[in-house]
Amino acid sequence: MKMEDQVLVRPKEINKTTLVDTLRKACKKIAPVWPLENFVAVNPYLGLTDQNFETVAQQLATVGGIQMTLPVSFYRNKIKEGKITPKDLKAAFEKKFIYEADVDVFINQLENRSDAEQKGAAIASVSDVAMQVSKQDWTRFVTGRISTWAASYFDNDQAIWKAANQQAGVFESWKAEAEVDLTSEITGLKGFRKTVKVLPNHPLKAAQKALDILAIPEEALPTYLHRLLLGVGGWSAYAARLDWDNELYGKKGGASIEFLAVLICWEACLLQCLDGQQLRSLWLKAKNELLVASGNTEISQELSEKLVLQEAFDLAVQREIIEKFQGSKTNPPQKPDRPKAQAIFCIDVRSEVYRRNLEQVDRRIETIGFAGFFAFPIHFVPIAHNKGEAQCPVLIPAGPTILEEIPDKVANKSAYNKRVLGHQVSEVWKSFKSGAVTCFSFVSPMGLSYLPKLFTDSFGLTRPVPHPDQAGLDAKVSKQKGISLNVANHHRETVGIPLDLQVEMAKNALNAMSLTENFAGFVLIVGHGSTTVNNPHATGLDCGACGGRSGEANAKVAAAVLNAKAVRKQLKDEGIAIPEDTVFLACLHDTTTDTIRIYNEQEVPATQSEALADLKSSLAKAGKTARAERSLRMAIHKNEDKAIIARSKDWSQVRPEWGLAGCSAFVVAPRERTKNLNFSGQSFLHSYQWKKDKGFSILELIMTAPMVVTSWINLQYYGSTVDNKNFGSGNKTLHNVTSGLGVLEGYSGDLRVGLPMQSVHDGENYQHEPLRLNVIIEAPIDAMNAIIERHRSVKDLCDNGWIYLLAMDEHGEVAYRYVGNLHWEAL
């Protein structure tokens, strides 16, 4: 039977169960994207990690025209610079089973390789085919119409007027609007509203009817559905995030399937409204190509070469990281004298710079690396807010709800009322500025009054807007904010943490940190956040372990629990004795300015005031040296302190800091192994001593949570670098915030995902180069294998080449590399 005859055979009708399963599998291939208010770093390949890296590269190139490597010229330059050596290329060939390849010949052939323009998808949708018939960009039009509706439907209180019915389901809302929207018919889709109206109201029935009209071959249906979702990848990802949150808390998802039904129906309606012999003929041809592409798993020669080059680049950097440890042998950690202070930092790569400088400034200060929510997964409700925010990794559900408060009840009530009033006035003012009539009368009389503020903002003398944590509050009052652990009722919800749960959380946190003895006089719990203005992606610079938020709340809760006498008394019975003179300090590391703020220093006894002053002096010195180090990367050559602090208030600054750009390693080992190594702010550092980990429960927690989170961060930067068009958010200067959720690049188009180009490129060179994460763990291989075997998601990451897993031996050398299927090779 000829291929065209195969397509002409009418696909058999899929039953409801099979259809739901097919739609769900397609939707699971799309990684979720979180809104700007908590912009979580997410692996853009999340739904595809059950396949190996190379297979996904071919699949995405075919289905969505998506690239998973940089152009050949990038790697060619690395070879010329000596970064990638012939030895690295040979190792890459062997790893890809190309044993007969001649390295010298391959390098010479690269000289003749040009950087071809990024190709589109190899398979076409109806809108793609329709463009060939009418020479009208129907793909852009359909994306624009879907985005306009979706922005209104998913709106998070940004818009004053909402066209879409947010109370209805996703499909129901779209269908109701499409039935009355004249835009499509004015553009040339005759009878579009009527065509939509005759579709069933139920999303599954409508999808089935639309698929019958499109007559997609059953075996090619998964590829076609994936193509549709990638075509509107931003809004598809947002629908996936809604399902993620619902499923995390045991609720039923379905937003993604309904959104996919919308996309399928758009295709069917286009085919019907533009019906003609030429369109039908071209659509038949497109389905033939779809069928061929669906069954073709062979990697193209061009892509194969680039994947080899990427592998060689990964191995070259991995070799440099390994050499750092080989040249710096250390002894196993010994029980030290009591340190002056212990500072627990988030594992974030920016903390590596500050930690290293702090330890150099004062050798009696120890630093510990731990996930920035500090094992206190809370739901945090700021003053005068009805609902709170999950302050924990998005992989796990939030725990107890904690209220922010000011200790003095009168002051707390005053602050509450003032913030509520401020919010109400702000909403009225916003309504006045944006009203249909009042907006025209606003500019002339009020415009001149903004000139002084515009002047001071432009020169960095003031902030264009107050910091979100201080909005509606006086600076003095803002400094008094704390948290309440008391169990109470707030809007019919139980808040606070009972004593028994406080003890359990404290014990779990200290054990996970391997901090159960030899406590210093001060133990700093250092969350982190950033300070920027006019930056829609600001929360992307905050703590990934805190769900794209500052770690301030977690640090305050952890310190309050660990300072509580009742908690310490029970911890002592559990074998963890905290000295009476130990004070846990809740702190925040501003990663933009490298300053440390202490929130509860009023709890420090007068007898320790001099020690506190000495500690604060060391923190200030470390901040200064850290800023000096980071200024080199930001091309600041004078007045470093002033320039870096100014960047945090500069509304025109597109690169206030480099965030996690450059992240390429995650080291899980005692601090002694890395203390004398300079990772240049490119390594996550997690403190861990496997000999204290009975049953390896802590190791399991690290490999299933922080290791996964760091891989998400690394792969988000990777995807935003190799294909910013599809997995990044484009040019920051063109961004328009839409729906309070994300950005459009310009005035229309799809919701953008990932990082802006300015977050990975400085205008001349990449500040983040595409590298898969090197995870180095000091622990027995058998223990790691047992964990890998128990957790499919972890095994997929390691076996399918999304991360590199390496083992450190008892001498502090990186001695083994995981090669898949629970096997390791000696290095």
Side-chain angles (χ1 to χ4, degrees), residues 3 24 119 173 311 316 336 353 405 431 461 490 638 697 747:
M3 182 63 71
R24 181 177 290 112
K119 299 177 182 178
S173 174
E311 186 74 34
V353 177
E405 68 170 17
S431 179
L461 302 175
H490 176 76
K638 58 181 181 179
S697 59
Y747 70 92

Side-chain angles (χ1 to χ4, degrees), residues 306-321:
K306 291 198 287 187
L307 288 170
V308 165
L309 288 166
Q310 178 61 47
E311 186 74 34
F313 184 45
D314 277 313
L315 293 175
V317 173
Q318 184 182 105
R319 171 173 45 78
E320 293 177 354
I321 294 171

